[in-house]
Amino acid sequence: MTVYPFGDFVLGIDRNRSLMPPKDGAFYDLVNVDLTPGHTIKRRNGFAKQQALTGAVGLTAFAGSLHTFFSGVDPGSTSLCKTHKLVCPDGSGSSLANVYLAAPLLGYLYVVASFSNGSTWHFYLDEGSTGCPTWTASTNELFGAIVCPTVYNGLRYMSTTIPVASEDWAPKIPLAINDTIRPTKGNGFVYQVTTLTVPAGATAATGTTEPSWPTMVGATVVEDVVDTVTKTKTWGAGLYVAAGEQLLPTKLLGFGLHAIASFNPEGARNVNYTGAFEPNWPTVAGQTVDDGTITWTIVEHVLIKYTCVAGTVTGIGEPIWPSTPGLTVVDNGVTWVALANNIKDKSCPSTPAAVIGASRIFAQGKSTEPDIVPYCSVANPRAWNTTATPFVANTQVNVGDQMVMANGSVQQVTIQGITGAAEPGQGWASIPGYAVQCGTASFVWVGISAPDDAGFIASGLQTQSGDTTVTALGLYRGSLAIFTTTGFQVWQIDTDPTQIILLDQFDGRGCVMTRGIASLGGDAYFTSLQGIRSLSTVAQTVNMDAGDAGVFVDPLVMPLLSAANTFQPLAIYIPDLGRFVLYVGNQAFALNSYPVMGVLGWSRYTLPWNVLYAANMGQHFVLADDGNLYKLSDAQWQDDTSGLESVYTSTIEWPYMVLGRHTMFTPMGTAGYMKMMRGVAMTANAQATLTCGYSDGDAGAATPPQTIGPDDRVAGIQPIELLCTSLSPQITYATNFPFELSGFAAYYDLLAQMVA
């Protein structure tokens, strides 16, 4: 009697062979099991339900928590998973449909999401940051200021209020008591003239130097208009002063008084020089004081006292915020307009495929520019603009034109007209949303100028053949992989735009699956319509199929990737398990990779629900379906469903094995020889069920199920009397227990060769 072990458990599923020698280490099917570093096969761990996420879309891990998104009713944040509201920016009220990217950038989440009306938008969730602080009561808010509600609702709110005043401060403008002034650089406050001292013959007007304005209601500031007096200097010790010269005492600042020197005969020693110490100046016009050899007479000049009055100050209670972009709400002295939290810069393509690398966002070009990959400024995800020109006064501008202003902001024309003689005195909005009038034209903020930093990759110009439309993006060894339907390019990316260069390109297989790409170690796997492929294998072999790990499961994967399939592939790498997994609906394909132990093989999973999103959070791996969150459990070998438990079946099935003597001269053994099967032996940690197929041309030709194991080395072989030329054993297990198979062998006698 001959005994043959059925191979080493290192290669996983291989559907490209129907007959193979034993000891090859490959399987016809491995369902709901994993290959282990110890060359065993173990029942996969189950998923335990963590919480309901009704209405939630998307999933990512960041800052020690999971994060998901919604547009309707808040599913409810928990210590495990925080929720974020995304509002469709076009004001349509469309519901959130899909999240293509949700990843951290500069301490906040960057999100690419689509809505039920088919639109796609990019969001940067920096609420609570310096760029979007939380609303506070009794606070002065400048025009263009942005706040978030204390309970975030997916929107921002921008102040559209410019304080009303008689005029803006400027040199030499006439003033009267109770007139109101705005600073040249708006600070949200208005200043009222409450004291005005005007000597006979003088004009009540501002000076040439703007005061330093206080920013507290009731505070005052005095403008000494001493520049209306000719030949005025400030007092100093030992200062020569000619007769009739006027001087400003340092100790009378704010009194609207200065001094004029009396005539003294020339020629005497130290005549017309001030003393060593400043005198005690009188405060009544016409009075005199001696100072060294000089006599001063006090005279008046124009003095203006301003009092800070209420400006754009929020109320004592938070307003009821509108939930639709474009609507407004009055908050004491501030009117807020609701804004969606999307990227407003029109150079941002707002397309589904996007990745983060080199502190930038890279995204596929919009439909009018499908063969480029735009990228944002380094460390500034809101700045994508590269085409704006500097502001030009008294110039015709048209809708859609963009200009870079003195403050570095990019303003886009919303109403055509002629620009003013200068940029608006109150300044431009520095945050997106509200229009500002300049001349007869109207502008709205769209970004920050970054012409030497933001830009785009002209991948279409580098394509040697095939399609140029960008369909997907991924990261590969720190570089950017740009996919079309027929191939891909690899680009070096950098914070320096001059170092963004083409490294290589390959034709033959492309990728249209936006979420079907995952990086793992020094490699990346992508999903093509022909199956799963490895970028490193393609780069080394210049062949999309030769030797690629994905070809072993092509017959299983390809039918699921048809256009008729509702579920788009979701690829993810689980570092803690050393495993790449591709989810398609309720099925998954897992590549178990332990290179040091010589293990690289596929298994597949069946799940009781459709997987829509997945994330790694530390040592935990989580999945989300349409309404629930599940975590991979270390102590469970069944899947939770809606409050129930689903015990899945684990299957280990070998292809038909040609049993017989295997030497270097007869690698296929005794193919065509009849064998008398005597039995099998299994080494495992629990009993299982065995059937054996005995005719590779007849799928129904199999032995009845029988119980085997757990360790037949002790109990003896399990008898199976069967005449066949080849054999396909199948082991199944369906109990909530960590079943593990470490060995399997067949016992038989070789009979005679079959003759046709």
Side-chain angles (χ1 to χ4, degrees):
M1 186 168 61
T2 304
V3 56
Y4 274 93
F6 269 50
D8 201 5
F9 305 151
V10 295
L11 295 183
I13 298 173
D14 185 351
R15 283 295 177 93
N16 283 331
R17 309 181 193 181
S18 58
L19 265 79
M20 63 181 67
K23 299 184 180 178
D24 196 49
F27 297 82
Y28 182 77
D29 215 353
L30 292 174
V31 184
N32 293 319
V33 295
D34 292 309
L35 300 173
T36 73
H39 295 196
T40 65
I41 298 175
K42 189 174 182 179
R43 182 174 172 85
R44 71 166 175 87
N45 292 90
F47 286 91
K49 181 179 176 180
Q50 301 300 297
Q51 67 181 75
L53 287 177
T54 305
V57 179
L59 187 68
T60 191
F62 168 58
S65 297
L66 295 170
H67 299 260
T68 189
F69 311 91
F70 68 98
S71 59
V73 178
D74 188 349
S77 290
T78 66
S79 58
L80 175 64
C81 188
K82 301 183 183 302
T83 58
H84 304 265
K85 187 171 185 178
L86 298 180
V87 177
C88 189
D90 59 15
S92 64
S94 299
S95 58
L96 186 61
N98 202 350
V99 171
Y100 299 102
L101 171 70
L105 176 64
L106 306 173
Y108 300 96
L109 287 174
Y110 193 93
V111 182
V112 178
S114 65
F115 291 81
S116 57
N117 63 356
S119 63
T120 299
W121 305 87
H122 288 209
F123 299 84
Y124 190 51
L125 307 186
D126 57 347
E127 60 267 19
S129 67
T130 55
C132 186
T134 303
W135 178 92
T136 54
S138 303
T139 302
N140 182 61
E141 298 288 4
L142 306 185
F143 168 77
I146 291 285
V147 299
C148 292
T150 55
V151 178
Y152 186 62
N153 63 357
L155 296 175
R156 299 171 156 211
Y157 296 85
M158 187 180 75
S159 169
T160 63
T161 305
I162 298 176
V164 177
S166 303
E167 52 195 318
D168 295 336
W169 189 95
K172 308 295 185 181
I173 59 171
L175 289 177
I177 289 291
N178 295 327
D179 280 355
T180 51
I181 288 288
R182 283 189 304 252
T184 55
K185 295 183 178 179
N187 62 3
F189 289 100
V190 170
Y191 300 84
Q192 187 176 48
V193 178
T194 52
T195 301
L196 187 59
T197 302
V198 185
T203 301
T206 59
T208 57
T209 303
E210 186 174 4
S212 296
W213 305 102
T215 54
M216 182 179 295
V217 173
T220 61
V221 63
V222 172
E223 182 180 5
D224 258 317
V225 192
V226 294
D227 48 354
T228 61
V229 181
T230 59
K231 300 181 182 179
T232 298
K233 62 179 68 174
T234 302
W235 185 93
L239 183 68
Y240 177 82
V241 181
E245 191 168 357
Q246 300 179 41
L247 175 145
L248 182 67
T250 62
K251 297 179 182 179
L252 288 183
L253 292 174
F255 281 84
L257 300 173
H258 64 283
I260 185 168
S262 299
F263 177 76
N264 284 292
E266 298 287 348
R269 185 179 179 184
N270 292 332
V271 171
N272 290 5
Y273 282 90
T274 60
F277 302 99
E278 187 172 5
N280 294 320
W281 303 96
T283 58
V284 177
Q287 292 183 345
T288 61
V289 64
D290 290 332
D291 175 22
T293 59
I294 298 173
T295 298
W296 297 101
T297 301
I298 302 301
V299 295
E300 289 184 314
H301 60 255
V302 175
L303 179 140
I304 308 169
K305 184 177 183 180
Y306 303 94
T307 300
C308 180
V309 295
T312 50
V313 178
T314 59
I316 60 174
E318 189 170 4
I320 299 175
W321 302 103
S323 58
T324 301
L327 297 184
T328 61
V329 62
V330 176
D331 174 21
N332 193 34
V334 183
T335 297
W336 302 101
V337 63
L339 306 174
N341 199 14
N342 64 302
I343 304 299
K344 297 294 192 301
D345 194 323
K346 76 170 187 177
S347 295
C348 175
S350 293
T351 46
V355 296
I356 299 175
S359 298
R360 302 179 187 270
I361 306 294
F362 294 84
Q364 68 184 129
K366 60 185 70 174
S367 59
T368 55
E369 300 173 308
D371 58 348
I372 68 170
V373 177
Y375 54 82
C376 73
S377 176
V378 170
N380 192 346
R382 296 190 182 278
W384 295 70
N385 187 275
T386 60
T387 59
T389 58
F391 174 83
V392 180
N394 303 314
T395 300
Q396 173 69 42
V397 289
N398 300 312
V399 174
D401 289 349
Q402 292 187 345
M403 286 186 169
V404 179
M405 307 309 172
N407 65 357
S409 69
V410 178
Q411 307 286 332
Q412 181 173 319
V413 178
T414 55
I415 300 177
Q416 68 179 28
I418 305 294
T419 59
E423 297 187 28
Q426 287 299 307
W428 303 96
S430 58
I431 307 288
Y434 190 70
V436 174
Q437 192 80 13
C438 181
T440 60
S442 184
F443 293 79
V444 67
W445 186 96
V446 292
I448 302 297
S449 177
D452 298 325
D453 193 18
F456 62 89
I457 297 173
S459 57
L461 295 178
Q462 303 294 333
T463 301
Q464 296 176 348
S465 63
D467 192 6
T468 61
T469 298
V470 177
T471 54
L473 300 172
L475 295 177
Y476 170 60
R477 296 182 179 177
S479 298
L480 176 67
I482 302 175
F483 292 88
T484 67
T485 59
T486 58
F488 66 92
Q489 298 174 1
V490 178
W491 287 75
Q492 174 180 294
I493 55 178
D494 199 275
T495 55
D496 180 357
T498 65
Q499 298 303 309
I500 299 178
I501 56 177
L502 178 65
L503 298 177
D504 217 335
Q505 59 180 311
F506 305 91
D507 295 322
R509 293 284 187 271
C511 178
V512 296
M513 318 296 182
T514 305
R515 298 194 299 149
I517 307 168
S519 299
L520 54 156
D523 202 352
Y525 283 81
F526 66 95
T527 312
S528 72
L529 291 175
Q530 290 73 34
I532 305 168
R533 295 295 180 264
S534 158
L535 266 71
S536 63
T537 301
V538 173
Q540 293 169 10
T541 65
V542 196
N543 187 308
M544 287 289 178
D545 295 327
D548 202 303
V551 301
F552 302 117
V553 289
D554 277 354
L556 297 172
V557 174
M558 288 174 60
L560 300 177
L561 301 181
S562 66
N565 195 327
T566 303
F567 297 98
Q568 289 295 308
L570 170 63
I572 190 169
Y573 176 60
I574 311 174
D576 194 51
L577 300 177
R579 189 173 299 150
F580 165 87
V581 186
L582 179 73
Y583 292 95
V584 188
N586 68 341
Q587 299 191 52
F589 298 88
L591 180 61
N592 303 273
S593 178
Y594 307 103
V596 175
M597 306 306 296
V599 177
L600 181 68
W602 294 94
S603 59
R604 65 187 183 97
Y605 310 148
T606 58
L607 299 160
W609 17 257
N610 296 310
V611 176
L612 300 182
Y613 303 97
N616 292 294
M617 187 179 71
Q619 295 182 338
H620 301 294
F621 178 66
V622 291
L623 298 177
D625 66 357
D626 188 15
N628 296 289
L629 182 67
Y630 303 90
K631 183 171 70 174
L632 189 64
S633 172
D634 293 332
Q636 182 169 311
W637 295 270
Q638 58 191 13
D639 294 324
D640 291 346
T641 57
S642 298
L644 303 174
E645 297 173 343
S646 174
V647 180
Y648 45 82
T649 298
S650 295
T651 301
I652 303 168
E653 182 178 358
W654 284 267
Y656 276 91
M657 314 295 284
V658 179
L659 304 176
R661 183 167 304 192
H662 299 272
T663 70
M664 61 181 296
F665 304 106
T666 57
M668 290 300 291
T670 51
Y673 278 74
M674 182 64 69
K675 293 93 178 175
M676 171 60 75
M677 293 296 305
R678 299 300 186 183
V680 298
M682 181 183 78
T683 305
N685 63 346
Q687 290 185 328
T689 300
L690 171 72
T691 61
C692 291
Y694 52 83
S695 175
D696 57 345
D698 183 359
T703 62
Q706 66 182 83
T707 300
I708 61 171
D711 190 347
D712 295 323
R713 293 174 302 179
V714 177
I717 65 171
Q718 297 286 329
I720 298 178
E721 294 192 356
L722 184 67
L723 284 173
C724 61
T725 58
S726 59
L727 189 71
S728 173
Q730 181 187 88
I731 297 172
T732 58
Y733 185 84
T735 303
N736 183 20
F737 181 80
F739 174 79
E740 185 170 8
L741 176 70
S742 55
F744 187 79
Y747 296 81
Y748 67 94
D749 292 323
L750 183 64
L751 300 181
Q753 185 176 17
M754 300 294 294
V755 179

